Amino acid sequence: MAKVNPAVTYCSNIHPGESWADVMHNLNSHALEVKQRLKSNAPFPLGLRIAKQAVLEADDHAIAEFRQWCEQHNAYLLTINGFPYGTFHQTRVKENVYLPDWRERARVEYSKRLGDLAVALEPGAERISISTVPIAFKPAFNDADWPQAIAHVREVAEHYRDIFAHTGTKLVLAIEPEPACVLETTAEAIDFFARLDLPDDLRDYVGLCFDACHQAVEFESAAQCLQQLNDAQIPLGKVQVSSALQATDEEIQALLDFDEPVYLHQSVARHSKTGELHRFTDLPEFAAACERGDVFDECRVHFHVPIFLQHLGRVGTTQHFLRELLPLVDKSVPLEVETYSFAAIPENLRHGSVGENIARELEWVHKLLF
């Protein structure tokens, strides 16, 4: 099967569902629609979100069904989102999305089983990345937790090394920095890999999932991030192609229109006088700071919005970060569009169906890169 580089897909975490039946339903109801809208004869890469429930339900029959589906529809498994462990839609997720975190055995066992499942779903694959949480939610973590977290990540790396020895498929545990987490900035990610200090035979099995929305929220430079990671010899397991909310001056108050009860919307605001960055765990905290009289000239918010938009209602987006980033990414790195919060966008700002928006996002990436 001839595959296109860079491989561009979308993450199925935009679709609700925790069971294996949900995985297959989303493929038949949504992935096929997107593939048809793209009108391409090229093999279609899949970015699957596979929850813990689905992992447990994926028996030999389910695996055979998936492989037959891929053969029938000219598709293949490119990457797995192993970040959300349980329910991810239609209920309060917020900081619980990081649980279980890397201090807990449940995260280790889940990540191992995802690796076992990945090579069963796509036998003969050269490389499959599996993204995961950035160690833990920062307010819940302290320095005494590091030894346990590091030991757990190493254990999964050892398991992936053993899988490679038996199958020839290289699995990459792709740790995904995110605002308000233990790994938040690129500098913190680099420090973590130094702390992890993997031996040579494990280094290929742990990398980074670079989420563009997250690093844009941190006011980072795309080019500098990539250069710093390259200098530190930290591999990219994948890049999540995503865009955040961005507002300046009088637009800033309009960000509060995006406060909603499901997801955590970490906010980073630049003080208008000092230029310092102030970090807030969620939009209500940012609103409280504004009410106290703090004045900011720019604020960026962790809210994944359609990547083809430069503006959404009364505010802007960090699409400019993607325009800088994507042409610089090595063509061997998978690209995964991840606009999971489409249903959380205020209804008056949504245009078109989910399938229409996903296809339009993928087309936007293709036009930028090809």
Side-chain angles (χ1 to χ4, degrees), residues 44-312:
F44 188 67
L46 299 172
L48 294 186
R49 186 251 161 159
I50 307 178
K52 173 62 182 301
Q53 179 184 343
V55 171
L56 295 176
E57 293 172 351
D59 57 14
D60 289 345
H61 174 77
I63 291 167
E65 178 188 21
F66 174 84
R67 288 165 60 174
Q68 183 179 16
W69 187 94
C70 287
E71 184 176 353
Q72 179 182 353
H73 298 292
N74 193 24
Y76 66 97
L77 177 63
L78 175 68
T79 183
I80 292 174
N81 187 331
F83 193 128
Y85 181 89
T87 303
F88 191 58
H89 287 279
Q90 300 167 340
T91 187
R92 185 187 188 278
V93 178
K94 297 290 184 180
E95 68 276 9
N96 293 328
V97 73
Y98 310 113
L99 298 176
D101 60 37
W102 278 101
R103 296 171 295 181
E104 302 174 65
R105 285 300 312 171
R107 178 59 66 175
V108 177
E109 298 306 322
Y110 171 53
S111 302
K112 285 182 175 181
R113 294 192 71 151
L114 277 175
D116 296 337
L117 181 58
V119 294
L121 294 174
E122 190 62 37
E126 182 177 338
R127 186 173 181 265
I128 299 174
S129 57
I130 301 174
S131 52
T132 189
V133 297
I135 306 302
F137 186 48
K138 189 174 281 186
F141 192 88
N142 59 63
D143 283 346
D145 294 322
W146 272 119
Q148 190 71 45
I150 285 174
H152 284 163
V153 171
R154 280 173 167 254
E155 182 178 336
V156 173
E158 290 167 356
H159 186 69
Y160 289 2
R161 177 195 58 194
D162 294 343
I163 287 175
F164 176 72
H166 288 95
T167 68
T169 296
K170 186 161 291 184
L171 300 174
V172 181
L173 184 69
I175 298 174
E176 181 181 337
E178 181 170 315
C181 292
V182 173
L183 304 189
E184 178 171 2
T185 64
T186 299
E188 287 172 331
I190 292 170
D191 178 72
F192 165 72
F193 276 87
R195 189 191 293 263
L196 186 61
D197 192 25
L198 290 172
D200 289 345
D201 66 334
L202 292 182
R203 286 181 183 170
D204 288 346
Y205 305 100
V206 184
L208 211 64
C209 170
F210 188 98
D211 190 305
C213 167
H214 300 171
Q215 303 320 125
V217 167
E218 296 293 334
F219 282 76
E220 295 191 342
S221 156
Q224 289 179 6
C225 288
L226 293 181
Q227 186 62 56
Q228 290 164 359
L229 293 171
N230 183 67
D231 291 346
Q233 298 183 319
I234 297 172
L236 293 181
K238 65 179 170 184
V239 167
Q240 284 187 327
V241 183
S242 54
S243 192
L245 294 171
Q246 178 182 24
T248 57
D249 302 321
E250 66 277 0
E251 300 172 342
I252 288 176
Q253 196 65 25
L255 290 171
L256 303 183
D257 295 342
F258 293 85
D259 184 22
E260 53 82 37
V262 177
Y263 304 112
L264 204 61
H265 298 299
Q266 303 95 315
S267 307
V268 180
R270 186 173 61 201
H271 199 279
S272 59
K273 291 185 178 179
T274 66
E276 294 179 356
L277 297 180
H278 294 247
R279 291 178 168 83
F280 305 93
T281 302
D282 208 348
L283 274 170
E285 290 183 21
F286 172 65
C290 293
E291 290 173 4
R292 290 194 303 265
D294 290 343
V295 179
F296 305 101
D297 63 16
E298 184 174 343
C299 182
R300 302 182 184 184
V301 178
H302 176 219
F303 196 123
H304 290 224
V305 297
I307 62 172
F308 51 78
L309 294 176
Q310 289 182 299
H311 297 277
L312 185 60

Side-chain angles (χ1 to χ4, degrees), residues 8-12 14-15 26 30-31 34 44 47 336-337 358 362:
V8 184
T9 186
Y10 83 95
C11 184
S12 69
I14 190 172
H15 312 305
N26 289 333
H30 301 293
V34 172
F44 188 67
E336 182 184 44
V337 174
I358 294 169
L362 294 174

